[in-house]
Amino acid sequence: MIQFISNADHYEMVINKVRAVKKILWIGTADIKDLHIKMGRDIVPFLKLISDLLKRGVEVRLIHAKEPGPNFREDFDKYPILAESLERVLCPRVHFKLMIFDMGTAYIGSANLTGAGMGMKSEHTRNFEAGILTTEPTLVESAVNQFDEVWMGKFCSKCRRKAYCGDRIS
């Protein structure tokens, strides 16, 4: 299955895949901000969903390119399990937007983990995004490999941005 996703569909389709994860969620994004989602009748920080996944025993890895702002940090501090269990790496060279769901489905696209990219912004304030959601084994494997190579520090020895890397992988 390969499904094209545009604009507001990111919110419904990708966030719903995050909700459904059973064991492993890998997220790669250049930018991460204080994104909010619907949870039942409530509107909550996306970090609450990540916190709930961690409490269920889901392994969550996050690679992002820069430190998020104060609103994100404030929400982060509301969920202590994030500091304890969220595996996180900051890499200033990351510009990909990937999500790997239970190693069997991948989102590959343009949307950052922000309100305008994947959150609850209205159609008039949302970015124009495009991506694919796929279970196609070759695409999923390629996304997993790219994420894992960055996660493991494959490119760190030749990186010319180490001066901006506050969270060195290797």
Side-chain angles (χ1 to χ4, degrees), residues 3-11 13 126-131:
Q3 187 169 10
F4 180 77
I5 305 171
S6 65
N7 298 333
D9 292 338
H10 278 82
Y11 177 75
M13 298 175 78
R126 156 174 309 288
N127 293 340
F128 301 121
E129 304 288 0

Side-chain angles (χ1 to χ4, degrees), residues 99-116:
M99 287 196 190
I100 313 296
F101 308 97
D102 290 322
M103 298 307 197
T105 304
Y107 164 75
I108 305 163
S110 65
N112 280 303
L113 210 55
T114 64

